[in-house]
Amino acid sequence: MITEAQKQSMAEAVARIRAAMAEAARRAGRDPADVLLCAACKTRTVEEVRYSAGLPIDLFGENHVQELVEKTDAGAYAGKPGHFIGHLQTNKVNKVVGRAALIQSVDSTRLLDKIDAAAERLGIRQDILLEVNIGGEASKSGVTPDALWPLLDAAAAKAHIRVRGLMAIPPADAGDTATRRFFAQMRELLAAVAARGYANAMLDTLSMGMSHDYAAAIAEGATMVRIGTAIYGARDYSKKA
């Protein structure tokens, strides 16, 4: 059961975040309308997400397939897009393709093949982002910047996939200066990708920045920030145990 205090907390949090996003964009000489707010709603209940969908949130991001399925089927997003932002296993692709407006975490040709086949069966083109492991962390998914190019070539050759851009998560323990540098590298990578002129792409999305660093991401060109705890509060993982 969602309480009135929770509702008020969410509404105030989103208002603060929106103001901070707008300020960061203006300081960078950008239009605040060019940056989307993705609510990362992992572990949040259908009721919590449904209430937050009435706030000035642009879209929702899910890390787990079962939560994407549950919340989509329950209409929790209230007509707003739902994205898949977590690591996607190939055996769960069929549940995500056609349900997620955008799959943000594609990082292998095997995954590309599965997504393309599932989209072909549905008669659609699935929008995706390619995930870059910009910090070179062994514990994280994503391709290295050097490995991005063959993956991009493979993605651009798929008839039922459309590449919309790139996604990244810099190391959590990087300082402010290093984090800003990682974000700048991602901006430069997206520009290099766009310069290749792929016909089967619409390179308008740079998804980066979370609750602790979204202002820096916006300063370096993010078009989408993924914010969870700053909206909903600390996660209670026992609810999903």
Side-chain angles (χ1 to χ4, degrees):
M1 182 72 178
I2 183 171
T3 67
E4 290 304 315
Q6 284 177 296
K7 292 178 181 179
Q8 182 177 350
S9 177
M10 274 190 267
E12 291 174 352
V14 172
R16 286 194 301 270
I17 291 163
R18 276 294 187 190
M21 288 173 62
E23 177 63 19
R26 284 191 290 265
R27 286 183 179 177
R30 303 178 61 198
D31 183 347
D34 291 340
V35 187
L36 300 178
L37 172 56
C38 171
C41 51
K42 177 172 66 174
T43 78
R44 311 304 173 176
T45 66
V46 167
E47 189 179 14
E48 286 176 293
V49 173
R50 184 178 288 120
Y51 174 77
S52 65
L55 301 174
I57 287 168
D58 296 301
L59 60 120
F60 293 88
E62 297 288 358
N63 287 75
H64 300 301
V65 173
Q66 64 269 29
E67 290 192 55
L68 176 71
V69 172
E70 176 190 15
K71 292 169 195 169
T72 301
D73 291 354
Y77 308 139
K80 293 181 177 180
H83 291 191
F84 191 77
I85 61 176
H87 177 66
L88 180 56
Q89 297 172 310
T90 55
N91 64 349
K92 295 184 177 179
V93 162
N94 289 341
K95 294 181 178 180
V96 174
V97 171
R99 184 177 261 111
L102 181 68
I103 302 172
Q104 296 199 21
S105 48
V106 178
D107 63 356
S108 72
T109 53
R110 186 163 176 254
L111 188 54
L112 280 174
D113 291 342
K114 294 286 187 179
I115 292 171
D116 186 61
E120 182 177 15
R121 286 192 294 272
L122 294 173
I124 64 171
R125 288 181 73 190
Q126 177 66 57
D127 285 343
I128 69 165
L129 303 182
L130 301 180
E131 182 177 0
V132 179
N133 187 345
I134 193 64
E137 296 176 277
S139 61
K140 277 188 183 162
S141 303
V143 294
T144 65
D146 287 344
L148 172 63
W149 305 109
L151 183 65
L152 181 63
D153 289 341
K158 300 293 187 186
H160 298 277
I161 284 175
R162 177 167 53 191
V163 182
R164 294 287 300 275
L166 306 177
M167 185 267 261
I169 306 172
D173 59 354
D176 292 347
T177 300
T179 296
R180 183 80 177 249
R181 186 166 61 247
F182 285 131
F183 288 147
Q185 289 171 1
M186 287 302 302
R187 183 192 69 242
E188 292 162 2
L189 266 180
L190 184 63
V193 168
R196 291 199 170 195
Y198 290 97
N200 190 16
M202 187 171 74
L203 301 168
D204 59 355
T205 305
L206 183 54
S207 175
M208 60 185 191
M210 299 166 69
S211 290
H212 62 290
D213 58 11
Y214 65 88
I218 292 170
E220 292 297 343
T223 66
M224 181 188 302
V225 293
R226 309 179 305 273
I227 300 178
T229 56
I231 295 173
Y232 299 105
R235 292 187 177 92
D236 181 359
Y237 287 98
S238 67
K239 292 179 181 177
K240 295 293 179 181

